[in-house]
């Protein structure tokens, strides 16, 4: 912190991303990345863009990609907004739809970036405690709260939310925008994209980071009725009209085209997740039901922070959140079967 910073910035409490270690090679299960490489068609498309296109600015409107996404999800191109990772899409959404008069509600155990965006937008968010089993208290989200943001499935718990519950929240909040953050939806959840035509207040946020294994090129998008998307474009064009670069555009186009490849990876991850849950339950873990590419696990006898450090010492990185209600849980990303073998071996060693 420095006195050169303006007073507002001095008070910001920024997000701390999961560790990207450089000291040695870890089994890296801490940031919900996809353990498999992206489609070879994506890599080829990016290489082609490197050779041909770097001299030119990218299309600021991402017309081709918006068209491709619109076809894929059966919406109109005017109902698609593209951003630099879904984090940027979420940041623009907070700026566009929420205000001091209409702040935002989210759960106490949720994606921790929401609180950061709320601070950045000078909002006083309403923080709603989840139920004891980390399910969402739907009634509390139906009260007048301003806007709403919910990850489905939730992070870091992995729990999914039934579509009927989201419908109730949308009905009760018809005056305000409800953002459903579907970063992890392709690992077993049910998307609300088909509801967009019925709900002018619904914005669905997606990412290619997890499902398409493209965290490195930063492509996220939002789907919603045109009036919402126009608002996002107004903010984006007041900030950096070029949004995503040519390499990201080329990679994203190829990824949407090769959806079958992403689907195959997701199916493998789901199968590995189900096996891992059984193996961890056998050694004394309790796991929150997960529809994500990660699990939220707590051990009946040994403290999560102790396990976190012991795993790190053994070359396995998972995520530990030192915060109320979840300080005895570990969030473990589902890796390859081999990586999960290493995790289970290390855990057995620690627990013996
Ligand atoms: N939403 C949720 C719930 C997440 O966990 C993440 C990843 N940390 C994101 C959004 C952001 O993903 P990205 O910016 O890589 O698209």
């Amino acid at each position: 912190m420095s006195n050169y910073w303006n007073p507002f910035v001095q008070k910001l409490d920024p997000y701390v991303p999961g560790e990207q270690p450089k000291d040695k090679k870890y089994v890296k299960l801490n940031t919900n990345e996809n353990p498999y490489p992206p489609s070879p068609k994506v890599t080829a498309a990016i290489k082609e863009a490197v050779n041909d296109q770097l001299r030119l600015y990218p299309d600021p409107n991402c017309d081709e990609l918006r068209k491709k996404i619109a076809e894929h999800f059966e919406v109109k191109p005017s109902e698609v907004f593209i951003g630099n990772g879904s984090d940027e899409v979420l940041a623009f959404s907070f700026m566009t739809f929420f205000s001091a008069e209409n702040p935002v509600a989210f759960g106490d155990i949720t994606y921790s970036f929401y609180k950061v965006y709320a601070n950045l937008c000078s909002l006083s968010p309403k923080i709603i405690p989840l139920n004891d089993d980390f399910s969402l208290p739907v009634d509390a989200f139906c009260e007048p709260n301003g806007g709403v943001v919910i990850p489905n499935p939730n992070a870091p718990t992995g729990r999914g939310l039934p579509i009927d519950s989201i419908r109730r929240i949308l009905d009760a909040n018809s005056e305000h925008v409800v953002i459903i953050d579907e970063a992890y939806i392709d690992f077993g959840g049910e998307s609300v994209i088909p509801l967009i035509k019925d709900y002018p207040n619904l914005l669905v946020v997606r990412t290619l980071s997890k499902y398409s294994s493209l965290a490195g090129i930063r492509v996220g998008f939002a789907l919603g009725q045109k009036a919402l998307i126009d608002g996002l474009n107004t903010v984006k064009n007041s900030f950096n009209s070029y949004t995503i670069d040519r390499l990201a555009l080329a990679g994203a186009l190829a990824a949407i085209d090769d959806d079958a490849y992403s689907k195959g990876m997701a199916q493998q991850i789901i199968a590995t997740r189900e096996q891992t849950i059984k193996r961890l339950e056998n050694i004394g873990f309790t796991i929150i039901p997960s529809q994500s590419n990660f699990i939220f696990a707590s051990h009946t006898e040994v403290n999560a922070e102790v396990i976190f450090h012991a795993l790190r010492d053994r070359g396995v990185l998972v995520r530990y959140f030192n915060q109320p209600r979840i300080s005895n849980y570990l969030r473990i990303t589902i890796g390859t079967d081999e990586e999960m073998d290493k995790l289970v071996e290390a855990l057995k060693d620690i627990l013996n």
Side-chain angles (χ1 to χ4, degrees):
M1 215 234 281
S2 150
N3 288 339
Y4 287 119
W5 299 9
N6 77 39
F8 173 73
V9 175
Q10 289 183 22
K11 280 197 233 126
L12 287 180
D13 182 13
Y15 179 73
V16 182
E19 192 180 350
Q20 298 291 348
K22 292 172 190 75
D23 58 334
K24 63 177 183 184
K25 198 158 171 23
Y26 288 89
V27 174
K28 197 169 170 302
L29 309 174
N30 68 331
T31 48
N32 295 346
E33 287 140 337
N34 189 315
Y36 301 105
S39 157
K41 291 182 184 159
V42 168
T43 330
I46 293 175
K47 280 186 185 147
E48 204 182 313
V50 168
N51 291 338
D52 292 350
Q53 301 175 8
L54 293 188
R55 189 178 61 81
L56 302 170
Y57 279 109
D59 172 6
N61 300 322
C62 308
D63 280 339
E64 206 185 338
L65 181 57
R66 282 191 304 113
K67 191 161 166 277
K68 176 82 60 193
I69 291 174
E71 276 163 14
H72 184 77
F73 291 102
E74 297 179 358
V75 297
K76 301 186 192 96
S78 59
E79 296 176 323
V80 181
F81 176 82
I82 315 275
N84 212 309
S86 59
D87 277 343
E88 187 185 75
V89 175
L90 286 162
F92 286 156
S93 305
F94 271 55
M95 286 182 222
T96 308
F97 304 119
F98 307 136
S99 62
E101 301 75 41
N102 288 314
V104 58
F106 46 82
D108 60 340
I109 314 292
T110 194
Y111 184 32
S112 36
F113 231 136
Y114 301 154
K115 203 166 166 192
V116 175
Y117 301 134
N119 287 340
L120 191 62
C121 298
S122 303
L123 305 171
S124 303
K126 179 162 175 195
I127 297 182
I128 300 178
L130 299 190
N131 298 324
D132 287 345
D133 63 356
F134 298 134
S135 60
L136 197 93
V138 176
D139 288 342
F141 278 84
C142 291
E143 284 165 18
N145 297 308
V148 171
V149 58
I150 299 171
N152 183 33
N154 192 22
T157 64
R159 243 187 202 286
L161 187 62
I163 233 169
D164 282 348
S165 303
I166 301 180
R167 215 188 268 276
R168 272 180 59 207
I169 293 169
L170 283 162
D171 284 329
N173 288 279
S174 58
E175 302 288 301
H176 302 289
V177 172
V178 174
I179 300 176
I180 304 296
D181 176 354
E182 294 191 337
Y184 302 103
I185 197 75
D186 298 293
F187 301 99
E190 194 182 357
S191 174
V192 287
I193 291 172
L195 299 191
I196 287 173
K197 59 180 180 329
D198 301 326
Y199 288 98
N201 59 332
L202 169 61
L203 189 80
V204 182
V205 176
R206 289 279 189 126
T207 178
L208 297 186
S209 295
K210 325 285 176 181
Y211 176 60
S212 298
S213 194
L214 287 175
I217 62 169
R218 317 297 306 126
V219 180
F221 51 98
L223 307 177
Q225 290 191 10
K226 183 174 179 299
L228 298 190
I229 301 302
D230 286 351
L232 288 171
N233 279 317
T234 303
V235 170
K236 180 206 72 147
N237 290 332
S238 310
F239 179 74
N240 172 11
S241 57
Y242 284 108
T243 324
I244 67 171
D245 62 56
R246 280 185 174 270
L247 305 187
L249 276 173
L253 275 166
I256 304 283
D257 256 343
D258 201 1
D259 187 64
Y261 180 92
S262 302
K263 205 171 260 160
M265 291 192 290
Q267 278 161 356
Q268 178 58 57
I269 289 167
I270 292 169
T272 307
R273 177 186 74 207
E274 294 310 304
Q275 265 181 356
T276 306
I277 290 174
K278 282 193 209 128
R279 294 172 81 185
L280 296 195
E281 282 174 346
N282 284 340
I283 53 172
F285 281 92
T286 305
I287 319 276
I288 304 296
S290 171
Q291 292 181 291
S292 309
N293 67 338
F294 56 87
I295 51 176
F296 207 47
S298 115
H299 196 267
T300 37
E301 283 157 30
V302 187
N303 171 274
E305 193 171 8
V306 170
I307 302 178
F308 166 77
H309 289 294
L311 278 174
R312 199 177 197 292
D313 292 343
R314 287 163 179 76
V316 180
L317 266 192
V318 298
R319 191 82 191 261
Y320 172 69
F321 300 91
N322 193 359
Q323 75 186 59
R325 294 190 68 191
I326 56 170
S327 61
N328 204 22
Y329 283 86
L330 296 172
R331 192 196 66 192
I332 305 173
T333 306
I334 301 301
T336 61
D337 287 335
E338 296 71 42
E339 287 175 319
M340 294 295 107
D341 287 345
K342 288 187 184 148
L343 167 79
V344 173
E345 270 166 42
L347 285 171
K348 283 183 176 161
D349 188 36
I350 294 162
L351 297 170
N352 273 332

